[in-house]
Amino acid sequence: MATKEKEKDLKKYKDEYKVSSPILIDENASAANAYGVWNRPETFFINREGKIIARALREIDWTSNNMKDLIQYLLKEKK
Amino acid sequence: MDLKEILVLISILIFGFSGMRCATSKEESKTFPKNYVHPLTEINLEKVFSENRGLKILEENATKVHDYYRGGVQDKEEGERLLKESRWEEARKHFEKSNRFLRVVLKYLPEDEAYRTVYEGQTVIFLPNLLIADNTLKLVSVYRNLKNLDMATQAIAEGQRYLAESQKSVKTEWAVQIKKGFEEELARK
């Protein structure tokens, strides 16, 4: 979710870093405000019921063992 | 388990991209003359409420300073609503809870700021001292209605301390109104 970035910068970023997931533009920061985001990046994990089940308040190394363990834990919790 | 399977079970929503920081220009922070008094049309309770609505912050889930600020504002809004309905006891609980949240904020960020930059280009009105002063002024009236005059007297003194602290950093018409409110309460003693 991008708040302040311009569309052309986002396209460049997506190409450069080969980002496959969708990037949404949050005009006027309305989504960021609704989620209470005061830091960037900030990550929310949302389950199938639409409930926030975890939140990370800083940059994440998605390949780290900690992150793998967290995702495994969250998936087990919700099965 | 692959990414697709993970995304079927949970959605991952990321606000902001660290790699993009250099690609965007930073907005200049707002600056004001030293003795500038922010008018009520610019800084007021309704604006503070609207900036902090959204996900409800529960005491047990608050982890960051901004969670506590947001929680403090949200409980204040609820307290104000109950006060208008003359539901004194319920209003008291929310104003006191709001003050608890805001005191945690003050441990880490003791100064009020008219506009605090929370990330590039995004600012919020950040007045924890003033919000406690305003809550406490409302609590004076709540305590009077609950016939707890000792607490009302203590609240006047406490509220004035927070008001003075706020005015050291930021001058607002809102603070002038609160000051007047405390003076009126003192005259009633």
Side-chain angles (χ1 to χ4, degrees):
Chain A
M1 186 78 75
T3 306
K4 298 297 290 184
E5 294 81 1
K6 289 175 186 154
E7 195 177 336
K8 68 175 174 58
D9 294 329
L10 288 167
K11 280 180 181 162
K12 195 176 153 195
Y13 172 82
K14 214 166 181 266
D15 292 343
E16 199 175 325
Y17 291 92
K18 300 189 182 0
V19 178
S20 57
S21 54
I23 297 179
L24 308 174
I25 298 174
D26 179 21
E27 278 185 48
N28 308 319
S30 54
N33 288 338
Y35 278 81
V37 175
W38 271 28
N39 301 292
R40 292 200 314 173
E42 195 161 329
T43 305
F44 292 84
F45 297 83
I46 301 163
N47 71 9
R48 279 171 294 180
E49 284 83 47
K51 288 190 178 153
I52 295 167
I53 47 176
R55 177 181 171 201
L57 298 158
R58 53 182 173 268
E59 286 178 37
I60 293 172
D61 175 4
W62 292 95
T63 60
S64 70
N65 286 336
N66 280 350
M67 192 43 57
K68 284 175 191 163
D69 289 347
L70 173 69
I71 289 176
Q72 289 292 349
Y73 172 77
L74 293 174
L75 292 172
K76 264 189 228 159
E77 283 285 291
K78 295 296 153 189
K79 265 184 185 172
Chain B
M1 181 168 288
D2 65 13
L3 182 64
K4 200 174 168 187
E5 195 178 348
I6 290 169
L7 293 176
V8 169
L9 295 166
I10 52 175
S11 301
I12 299 170
L13 182 59
I14 308 167
F15 286 90
F17 304 91
S18 53
M20 289 219 53
R21 282 180 189 157
C22 297
T24 56
S25 60
K26 281 189 181 180
E27 285 181 13
E28 279 181 32
S29 58
K30 295 177 185 178
T31 52
F32 299 93
K34 197 183 167 195
N35 286 319
Y36 180 73
V37 180
H38 297 269
L40 262 179
T41 48
E42 183 198 322
I43 290 185
N44 56 57
L45 194 50
E46 188 45 48
K47 274 197 181 172
V48 174
F49 286 158
S50 68
E51 285 179 352
N52 291 280
R53 287 189 183 121
L55 285 180
K56 174 82 183 142
I57 300 290
L58 304 173
E59 251 173 328
E60 59 270 29
N61 292 341
T63 53
K64 298 271 285 185
V65 173
H66 79 259
D67 290 338
Y68 283 93
Y69 186 72
R70 202 171 165 82
V73 174
Q74 289 178 351
D75 268 291
K76 178 169 179 51
E77 185 170 14
E78 186 60 11
E80 298 278 345
R81 187 183 70 76
L82 294 162
L83 183 69
K84 279 183 192 150
E85 294 173 12
S86 306
R87 292 160 69 179
W88 313 117
E89 185 54 32
E90 292 161 275
R92 179 189 69 77
K93 283 180 188 164
H94 283 280
F95 283 127
E96 287 179 350
K97 191 172 161 198
S98 171
N99 281 354
R100 279 204 304 279
F101 269 124
L102 294 166
R103 283 192 194 103
V104 175
V105 175
L106 290 176
K107 277 188 196 168
Y108 301 94
L109 299 168
E111 282 189 12
D112 284 8
E113 293 173 61
Y115 296 98
R116 180 175 175 78
T117 301
V118 291
Y119 52 81
E120 294 104 338
Q122 180 71 25
T123 60
V124 293
I125 298 169
F126 184 76
L127 304 169
N129 285 293
L130 191 68
L131 291 174
I132 293 181
D134 194 48
N135 280 343
T136 312
L137 177 60
K138 309 286 168 55
L139 277 167
V140 173
S141 144
V142 168
Y143 292 141
R144 281 198 205 283
N145 281 288
L146 292 170
K147 313 283 182 222
N148 194 338
L149 298 182
D150 285 347
M151 286 295 283
T153 307
Q154 281 176 36
I156 293 171
E158 190 188 330
Q160 286 181 315
R161 277 201 303 276
Y162 283 101
L163 180 63
E165 206 53 46
S166 173
Q167 287 182 306
K168 279 183 199 168
S169 331
V170 183
K171 292 182 173 49
T172 60
E173 278 185 2
W174 183 6
V176 175
Q177 276 193 343
I178 296 172
K179 189 168 184 262
K180 211 173 150 195
F182 280 122
E183 284 164 0
E184 284 168 6
E185 289 293 349
L186 272 171
R188 285 181 64 191
K189 268 172 83 179

